[in-house]
């Protein structure tokens, strides 16, 4: 398969690129290289003759047309996005432009390529989205997001992703473009940009800094190891039914506070401090405005229809992740100097852009 991956220099996209390359797929990695990107994420495949990098922006329709014409992909996996909820609170405009207008451009470029090729049934446009489009769940563990949960996005980020999901479905209904969608829970793992909770906690712990927890740390997320997610995405792309969406979860619900305590316990074991526990560095800070209380995925559809399940528990995945950060300071240290990293973002007091 010749796969056009957008956002392949980001966290999840690069895990897809690395896995797809290891399975012998041809890959075109299209990425604008925003603040969140790092070509080091795909350094292990950059010399692979099956791999090509295209530096392009999905807001640039002419660039997309050129790339489709040059590479004639069999499938598109669309991950390029502005992805950080806190940044969406301070500057929602970038999220509207990339996540909505960019997805529209990509759909149109894909449709024009697909129509020029006589509309092959085997073509796929796989849109990668988030469970945040479904809103916030009550504490009752029996209630989870299914593929038919009504959309109820609460943040500029999730609203922009919801809009892009609707566009993708509309392109299938209206033009017949063979699309497939997936909505996943919170990812963590190697190459996670150091502004997201898990790497912030690991790196602040090692630096002797506070471990900031929004509110009381009671918000619940369903933690999905990124390499499991990449495997699920290739499964959905290859075997998912056209027009269908699949929820992808880690089957590992934890409160933020529990998750941070788990990271501290792992560090206490493998990199103990001279005295005390890393958990002593936990600090409760002002909550995110509109912070969704709970996300949880009902994974029945992907499990029953595609036979996919996550391979690691959150304990095992976190252990691998902590070890990876201990072993890869050369990767994360320069990223900490990028714009906004380490600053408190998304308090609702940032200037509108
Ligand atoms: P990321 O921020 O790490 O990477 C995004 C990539 O997209 C970056 O490499 C960036 O350079 C690129 N990009 C941004 N704007 C672009 C543009 N205009 N044109 C071309 N490239 C552009 O994000 P991620 O965490 O890897 O998320 C990937 C996808 O998965 C996103 O669509 C996100 O909404 C979705 N998702 C992520 C999570 C998660 O927990 N990280 C959960 C659910 C869904």
């Amino acid at each position: 398969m010749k796969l056009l991956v957008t956002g392949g220099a980001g966290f999840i996209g690069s895990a897809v690129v690395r896995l797809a390359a290891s399975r012998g797929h041809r890959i075109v990695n299209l990425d604008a290289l925003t603040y969140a990107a790092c070509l080091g994420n795909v350094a292990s495949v950059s010399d692979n003759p099956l791999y090509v990098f295209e530096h392009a922006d999905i807001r640039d329709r002419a660039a997309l047309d050129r790339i489709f014409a040059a590479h004639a992909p069999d499938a598109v996996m669309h991950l390029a996005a502005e992805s950080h909820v806190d940044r969406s609170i301070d500057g929602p405009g970038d999220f509207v432009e990339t996540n909505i207008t960019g997805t529209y451009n990509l759909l149109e470029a894909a449709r024009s390529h697909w129509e020029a090729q006589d509309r092959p049934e085997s073509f796929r446009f796989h849109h990668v989205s988030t469970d945040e489009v479904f809103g916030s769940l009550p504490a009752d563990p029996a209630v989870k997001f299914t593929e038919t949960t009504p959309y109820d996005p609460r943040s500029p980020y999730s609203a922009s992703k919801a809009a892009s999901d609707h566009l993708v479905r509309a392109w299938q209904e209206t033009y017949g473009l063979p699309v497939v969608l997936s909505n996943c829970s919170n990812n963590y793992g190697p190459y996670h940009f150091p502004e997201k909770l898990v790497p912030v906690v690991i790196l602040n712990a090692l630096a002797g800094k506070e471990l900031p927890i929004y509110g009381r740390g009671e918000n619940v997320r369903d933690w999905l190891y990124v390499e499991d997610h990449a495997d699920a995405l290739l499964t959905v792309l290859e075997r998912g039914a056209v027009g269908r969406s699949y929820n992808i979860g880690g089957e590992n619900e934890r409160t933020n506070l529990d998750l941070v305590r788990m990271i501290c316990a792992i560090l206490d074991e493998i990199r103990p401090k001279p005295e005390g526990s890393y958990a002593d560095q936990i600090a409760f800070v002002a909550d995110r405005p509109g912070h969704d209380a709970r996300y949880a995925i009902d994974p029945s559809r992907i499990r029953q229809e595609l036979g996919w399940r996550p391979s690691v528990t959150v304990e095992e995945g976190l252990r691998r992740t902590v070890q990876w950060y201990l072993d890869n300071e050369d990767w994360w240290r320069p990223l900490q100097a990028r714009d906004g990293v380490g600053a408190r973002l998304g308090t609702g007091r940032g200037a509108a852009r």
Side-chain angles (χ1 to χ4, degrees):
M1 177 168 55
K2 189 186 260 190
L3 179 58
L4 174 63
V5 178
T6 71
F11 169 48
I12 302 171
S14 67
V16 169
V17 167
R18 295 189 302 272
L19 185 65
S22 76
R23 293 185 181 169
H25 296 300
R26 297 169 72 188
I27 300 148
V28 181
N29 177 3
L30 185 167
D31 200 296
L33 300 181
T34 70
Y35 82 93
C38 181
L39 280 175
N41 299 6
V42 286
S44 61
V45 302
S46 59
D47 293 335
N48 186 327
L50 300 175
Y51 171 83
V52 179
F53 179 69
E54 287 278 8
H55 186 192
D57 194 311
I58 57 170
R59 292 170 294 185
D60 178 353
R61 173 68 197 276
L64 299 181
D65 287 341
R66 179 188 62 73
I67 290 166
F68 273 95
H71 300 288
D74 307 311
V76 176
M77 193 187 290
H78 177 35
L79 299 107
E82 290 291 341
S83 71
H84 191 36
V85 176
D86 287 344
R87 288 186 191 253
S88 84
I89 295 168
D90 293 341
D94 291 343
F95 288 71
V96 171
E97 286 173 18
T98 281
N99 299 359
I100 306 177
T101 309
T103 299
Y104 157 72
N105 280 330
L106 191 67
L107 281 165
E108 280 294 79
R111 178 166 78 94
S112 145
H113 161 72
W114 174 70
E115 287 176 348
Q117 309 264 312
D118 282 339
R119 304 162 65 99
E121 283 176 24
S122 59
F123 184 80
R124 288 290 177 278
F125 185 104
H126 180 173
H127 180 58
V128 177
S129 191
T130 169
D131 62 356
E132 299 187 31
V133 298
F134 300 123
S136 186
L137 289 169
D140 180 357
V143 185
K144 295 180 194 277
F145 296 136
T146 71
E147 289 78 2
T148 55
T149 300
Y151 275 44
D152 184 22
R154 312 292 187 91
S155 72
Y157 164 69
S158 54
S160 70
K161 292 297 291 187
S164 64
D165 291 10
H166 293 320
L167 289 174
V168 171
R169 286 197 174 88
W171 258 242
Q172 199 236 328
E173 294 290 341
T174 308
Y175 306 109
L177 187 71
V179 309
V180 65
L181 297 92
S182 55
N183 296 79
C184 70
S185 58
N186 281 49
N187 283 226
Y188 68 98
Y191 302 100
H192 206 180
F193 192 73
E195 66 180 352
K196 303 279 172 77
L197 178 65
V198 169
V200 163
V201 168
I202 298 170
L203 300 181
N204 280 16
L206 293 173
K209 295 182 182 166
E210 283 187 347
L211 312 182
I213 297 191
Y214 292 178
R216 301 304 305 161
E218 288 160 354
N219 306 67
V220 174
R221 301 292 182 258
D222 177 356
W223 293 93
L224 173 63
Y225 190 58
V226 69
E227 292 176 5
D228 275 344
H229 186 206
D231 180 53
L233 290 175
L234 289 176
T235 302
V236 168
L237 178 67
E238 287 165 6
R239 296 196 278 118
V242 170
R244 207 147 172 81
S245 73
Y246 297 86
N247 283 357
I248 307 172
E251 300 181 26
N252 277 286
E253 275 186 62
R254 293 289 185 283
T255 66
N256 286 346
L257 184 57
D258 284 344
L259 187 90
V260 171
R261 286 189 173 136
M262 283 172 60
I263 295 170
C264 291
I266 294 166
L267 279 168
D268 284 339
E269 189 189 319
I270 60 181
R271 182 67 65 88
K273 300 212 287 188
E275 58 187 61
S277 163
Y278 289 99
D280 302 338
Q281 293 167 226
I282 289 174
F284 295 97
V285 300
D287 208 350
R288 168 189 284 165
H291 201 177
D292 291 338
R294 176 171 169 257
Y295 305 140
I297 292 270
D298 175 346
S300 305
R301 179 178 288 180
I302 192 167
R303 195 192 294 174
Q304 287 163 11
E305 296 182 11
L306 306 182
W308 186 86
R309 291 195 70 159
S311 75
V312 293
T313 61
V314 69
E315 288 81 2
E316 173 58 23
L318 279 180
R319 193 168 282 278
R320 290 185 199 175
T321 305
V322 168
Q323 191 61 55
W324 188 88
Y325 280 86
L326 289 173
D327 294 342
N328 288 280
E329 182 169 348
D330 289 353
W331 179 85
W332 54 260
R333 179 73 68 189
L335 301 181
Q336 289 184 310
R338 290 199 182 172
D339 186 31
V341 178
R344 177 68 203 267
L345 303 174
T347 55
R349 289 193 289 270
R353 277 184 272 158

